[in-house]
Amino acid sequence: MSNSYANQPIKLKLLATSDVHGHFSGYSYFSKKAEPFGLAHLMPIIQQQRQLADISLLIDNGDLIQGSPVTDMLVANYQAPDSLQSLPSIASLLALMGYDAANLGNHEFNYGLAYLQHAYGGTKHTLPLLGANLTATSTLASRSLRHKAFHMFSLSPVVNGRQQPLKVAVVGVLPPQIMQWDAHHLRDHVAVTDMFPAATQAVAEAQSAGADIIVLAAHSGMPKNSDDGVDSEQGVWQLAQIPAVDAIIFGHQHEVFPGSKVYDQLAHVNSQQGTLFGKPSVQPGTQGKYLGVIDLSLTFSNAGWQIIASNSQVIAAAEYPDPTVLKHLASSHSATETYMKQAIGHSDHDFSLAKARVEPTHALQFIHSAQRWYVERAFANSEVGNKLPQRPLFSAVAPFNAALNEQMYHDNQFTFIPSGVLTLGHIGDLYRYPNTLEVVEVTGVQLKRWLEQSAAALQPSTNSSPWGHIVQDIPSYQFDTFVGFEYQIDVSKPVGERVSASISFAQSETYYVATNNYRAQGGGGFAGLDGSQVVFSSPDQIQHILVNYLEHLGKPGYQDELIRNWKLL
């Protein structure tokens, strides 16, 4: 928190990061190149903005501790502390950069509550953590979660030669869907309520505590390309209507606001000026590519503090990183490079996701095979498997880092792992999320809906290039491919009528599908999945399952021929 005070009006700067996903130094461990984003590249912008303010607060809005090889390495280091050197915590990085508060996002819970506590500095951490709609219900959660509904900053800017108290409250909320996405970590430990009532209550409590300015930090976005702003996960359109909220930091969707047009159909949203219901608001993208900045000009009178002007903007990260931050990250960088180089197996085939949106690939077939191998082994050696009726077992996998167009293809913007030795780094590139594996039981009707929603990511094209069939606005993690049966997608037909298959889609037929916990618990809204269809939950991350599968394959490694069980018509 910086305090360089001036006479009135006072300029308060709210500086925000969100969805950094472990991108700290700007170095890509996949391309082996330094790139101009990440916290080290934001530090010069943060310092510059602080110098332009009388008072500034730096706030992270969640999804910080997961999502990169560095964070994968830090988790591995935590889980096997004797295997790697002692490394600085994420909390120490935040302290070095001068963060004033952090709102919890959904990915903060991917590795469990004990790791969340460790990542933010263990029992000695002092950085305020926020989560108004999150309540601890167990001893573990109470010990691990030291968050608050809001944090009050008591400041003393100089007004007309005299210090004048100013109280700024920051309220934080996160998607209640974490109870689905990370149920295996959170069930029986925490309770999560809807964001709007929790935020409304926290704002009222902040008012009662004397807050002059109330900032909402919401790890949530808004419905895109829709005039209906009501959504339990993307709830900011409703949250912005809480009367006492003065400024809004939001995220979760990785959009850039002001600037993005995806919210233009919603009433009272100004994507050029960066306001929601007239309130200055920012969403600073992802991976530390932008810093969100809200300027509030404040005056003080007998009526108290007043906002007389405001401005919202996002500022791109600096080309060159801050050397102090890089020095702080040096040991973690070295440990990550070592971690990524660990050989774990062999493949006779390239693993490429270049064209995974339009045809079967060895890369996804390898994941499919590992998922089915794991489930078949688990069913054969567990009480759960013995109690379940016999059903066909399928697998669903999405290509996370596929090329979406010809330019991305030519620029090699997709996962490509050459045949030969496979390393942990390759597995992290191939499967980029810390998902666990679950098995859902679905009817033929539900499976058909699932396939049809995936097929919506494709479109008719008269272009001879395969890229014309890809709907680029639909991310690749929303395009599931399946194995265990043959199917065809006729993109000339309307969605709902595109998929035909070698199996029955009758309501009377029932199947098992191995998929990730995000999808099984309702992520993406596929086929009515909501967690109730889960018949088996693995304690293991899919990345670890891929490693175990390679160990199972032994020295020969992955040698399978490609099965082209689906195609576009």
Side-chain angles (χ1 to χ4, degrees):
M1 183 164 43
S2 65
N3 294 284
S4 176
Y5 302 128
N7 290 326
Q8 65 178 27
I10 298 298
K11 178 175 282 190
L12 168 62
K13 274 187 180 287
L14 304 172
L15 309 177
T17 56
S18 189
D19 301 273
V20 172
H21 285 291
H23 288 78
F24 302 146
S25 69
Y27 181 79
S28 171
Y29 294 91
F30 302 126
S31 69
K32 303 292 192 289
K33 296 178 181 177
E35 300 178 351
F37 57 85
L39 292 185
H41 290 266
L42 286 183
M43 189 60 173
I45 309 300
I46 291 168
Q47 293 172 326
Q48 178 189 63
Q49 288 298 306
R50 280 174 165 157
Q51 292 173 0
L52 299 174
D54 299 307
I55 308 170
S56 65
L57 295 174
L58 177 59
I59 301 162
D60 184 73
N61 190 39
D63 281 10
L64 174 71
I65 69 173
Q66 172 277 336
S68 75
V70 175
T71 53
D72 290 346
M73 179 278 299
L74 289 173
V75 173
N77 187 56
Y78 172 78
Q79 294 173 339
D82 295 334
S83 64
L84 295 173
Q85 61 185 298
S86 176
L87 299 169
S89 68
I90 291 173
S92 65
L93 172 61
L94 300 182
L96 175 68
M97 296 183 65
Y99 273 87
D100 296 297
N103 185 36
L104 297 173
N106 53 290
H107 282 291
E108 264 64 58
F109 300 91
N110 286 166
Y111 307 110
L113 297 174
Y115 181 75
L116 188 158
Q117 181 198 37
H118 168 79
Y120 284 102
T123 58
K124 297 180 180 179
H125 77 271
T126 58
L127 183 72
L129 301 180
L130 306 174
N133 58 328
L134 176 70
T135 304
T137 61
S138 73
T139 302
L140 171 65
S142 298
R143 188 171 59 244
S144 302
L145 290 171
R146 297 169 182 261
H147 67 291
K148 299 184 290 186
F150 68 93
H151 183 77
M152 187 77 79
F153 293 95
S154 297
L155 312 171
S156 301
V158 175
V159 178
N160 296 330
R162 204 169 63 169
Q163 284 190 335
Q164 184 63 49
L166 169 65
K167 290 187 174 182
V168 179
V170 182
V171 175
V173 290
L174 64 134
Q177 285 78 11
I178 63 169
M179 293 302 295
Q180 299 174 357
W181 302 332
D182 281 304
H184 56 299
H185 288 311
L186 302 180
R187 188 183 297 114
D188 301 324
H189 293 296
V190 302
V192 185
T193 58
D194 289 343
M195 289 181 283
F196 184 79
T200 300
Q201 179 178 341
V203 167
E205 292 173 355
Q207 284 182 296
S208 298
D212 300 297
I213 303 295
I214 297 179
V215 180
L216 176 67
H219 191 81
S220 177
M222 298 185 292
K224 299 180 182 181
N225 303 311
S226 170
D227 60 3
D228 182 3
V230 179
D231 187 276
S232 63
E233 178 183 348
Q234 313 295 353
V236 171
W237 190 80
Q238 289 176 288
L239 292 166
Q241 299 177 57
I242 300 174
V245 170
D246 296 301
I248 301 165
I249 298 163
F250 66 115
H252 189 48
Q253 292 176 310
H254 299 184
E255 295 289 342
V256 176
F257 185 92
S260 174
K261 296 181 180 180
V262 297
Y263 307 122
D264 283 356
Q265 294 181 33
L266 293 172
H268 306 289
V269 174
N270 190 318
S271 60
Q272 287 75 45
Q273 295 182 5
T275 59
L276 306 178
F277 291 86
K279 302 171 183 182
S281 307
V282 291
Q283 181 180 186
T286 184
Q287 298 182 347
K289 294 180 179 178
Y290 296 93
L291 179 71
V293 180
I294 296 175
D295 289 311
L296 300 177
S297 294
L298 310 177
T299 59
F300 183 79
S301 66
N302 292 335
W305 289 97
Q306 302 291 326
I307 300 174
I308 61 170
S310 64
N311 181 66
S312 305
Q313 61 177 318
V314 287
I315 303 175
E319 181 178 0
Y320 299 105
D322 178 83
T324 303
V325 173
L326 282 189
K327 182 179 180 180
H328 180 82
L329 294 168
S331 60
S332 295
H333 170 68
S334 177
T336 303
E337 288 194 307
T338 300
Y339 171 80
M340 297 283 282
K341 292 175 182 176
Q342 294 180 62
I344 54 172
H346 183 277
S347 172
D348 283 357
H349 305 284
D350 295 341
F351 286 165
S352 173
L353 294 181
K355 298 181 180 180
R357 288 281 294 260
V358 293
E359 65 184 27
T361 64
H362 276 292
L364 292 191
Q365 181 170 288
F366 168 69
I367 302 173
H368 281 300
S369 297
Q371 291 191 166
R372 297 178 82 192
W373 164 80
Y374 183 92
V375 173
E376 288 169 353
R377 187 182 62 166
F379 277 14
N381 298 295
S382 71
E383 292 184 9
V384 173
N386 293 334
K387 292 178 181 178
L388 290 173
Q390 294 293 314
R391 311 226 187 270
L393 172 65
F394 306 143
S395 173
V397 175
F400 296 136
N401 191 38
L404 301 180
N405 52 53
E406 193 165 0
Q407 187 63 49
M408 290 180 67
Y409 179 69
H410 288 305
D411 291 345
N412 296 316
Q413 294 185 43
F414 56 87
T415 292
F416 178 81
I417 301 166
S419 61
V421 174
L422 293 173
T423 66
L424 281 174
H426 291 146
I427 296 301
D429 190 4
L430 182 63
Y431 203 99
R432 296 192 170 192
Y433 296 92
N435 300 133
T436 55
L437 186 64
E438 297 191 335
V439 177
V440 294
E441 184 178 54
V442 296
T443 66
V445 171
Q446 287 174 305
L447 181 58
K448 167 75 165 170
R449 287 171 57 195
W450 194 341
L451 284 155
E452 289 289 348
Q453 184 167 339
S454 293
L458 300 166
Q459 63 188 359
S461 174
T462 57
N463 192 331
S464 59
S465 166
W467 316 113
H469 286 301
I470 297 173
V471 181
Q472 297 184 40
D473 289 341
I474 297 179
S476 292
Y477 65 79
Q478 291 289 79
F479 178 70
D480 284 349
T481 66
F482 293 77
V483 301
F485 58 95
E486 295 182 353
Y487 64 101
Q488 300 84 37
I489 304 172
D490 188 343
V491 294
S492 68
K493 294 182 178 179
V495 175
E497 303 175 11
R498 288 181 167 182
V499 179
S500 58
S502 61
I503 58 171
S504 170
F505 290 136
Q507 179 68 29
S508 58
E509 297 291 341
T510 309
Y511 306 108
Y512 296 136
V513 182
T515 186
N516 63 60
N517 64 299
Y518 171 79
R519 181 73 78 234
Q521 300 294 335
F526 279 71
L529 297 177
D530 59 7
S532 64
Q533 300 88 358
V534 173
V535 296
F536 172 77
S537 295
S538 163
D540 298 316
Q541 291 184 20
I542 293 175
Q543 291 172 337
H544 299 158
I545 290 172
L546 299 181
V547 173
N548 292 338
Y549 182 57
L550 280 171
E551 292 175 350
H552 163 74
L553 293 177
K555 188 174 181 179
Y558 175 77
Q559 299 179 314
D560 295 353
E561 293 300 315
L562 182 62
I563 300 173
R564 298 184 178 276
N565 69 302
W566 67 273
K567 62 181 179 180
L568 304 186
L569 300 178

